[in-house]
Amino acid sequence: MTTQVSQKPRSDARDNRARILAVARAAFAAEGPGVPVREIARRAQVGAATVYRHFPTKDALLAEVVAEPMALCSAVVEEGLAESDPWRGFCLVTERLMEARALGRGLSGALAARLPYLGAERERSIRLLG
């Protein structure tokens, strides 16, 4: 019989992961998805191997970076659709999505193109807006 033990990552590993994501979000938002992993590692003050230990591919890192903004956008659109007054729903969605975009939490088309399954989620949200 084998028992699988689930351990929480060490605090330094959690800190490294959070720092990598913060740096990657800022870098991708400012410079697009072409920023090399080595550059993200340098800015996060970790080695490239540390980045790859947390995110096996650059696409895995990109997917994690855009997961939160995609969830936010979908939740905002669904909240707007749930409003009983269509105009209020439209205003809610417009205001919240613009706030998210202004805060840099919006999903850029370049990232969606790099990760087609996220592009499909983006298209779904756009259809719902229609």
Side-chain angles (χ1 to χ4, degrees):
M1 176 165 103
T2 60
T3 303
Q4 197 160 2
V5 177
S6 176
Q7 291 182 338
K8 279 185 161 181
R10 295 183 332 251
S11 63
D12 62 325
R14 286 191 309 269
D15 293 345
N16 286 344
R17 187 177 196 285
R19 199 167 50 252
I20 291 164
L21 283 171
V23 166
R25 271 189 200 101
F28 294 148
E31 303 165 47
V35 180
V37 170
R38 286 191 177 280
E39 179 59 19
I40 291 168
R42 185 189 67 74
R43 293 178 192 179
Q45 300 177 338
V46 299
T50 300
V51 175
Y52 285 116
R53 197 165 20 266
H54 291 279
F55 308 98
T57 64
K58 186 174 184 179
D59 282 348
L61 175 59
L62 283 164
E64 187 70 23
V65 164
V66 299
E68 183 182 329
M70 281 302 300
L72 172 69
C73 289
S74 294
V76 166
V77 171
E78 289 172 1
E79 187 179 346
L81 287 170
E83 276 288 331
S84 59
D85 178 6
W87 180 250
R88 284 181 46 153
F90 174 76
C91 291
L92 180 143
V93 169
T94 303
E95 289 171 8
R96 295 243 180 103
L97 290 181
M98 292 304 109
E99 287 172 5
R101 187 70 181 169
L103 294 172
R105 295 188 313 228
L107 174 67
S108 78
L111 293 179
R114 175 83 184 245
L115 303 167
Y117 60 92
L118 290 175
E121 178 64 22
R122 181 175 180 249
E123 291 303 315
R124 183 182 83 76
S125 292
I126 290 171
R127 274 194 315 277
L128 287 173
L129 281 171

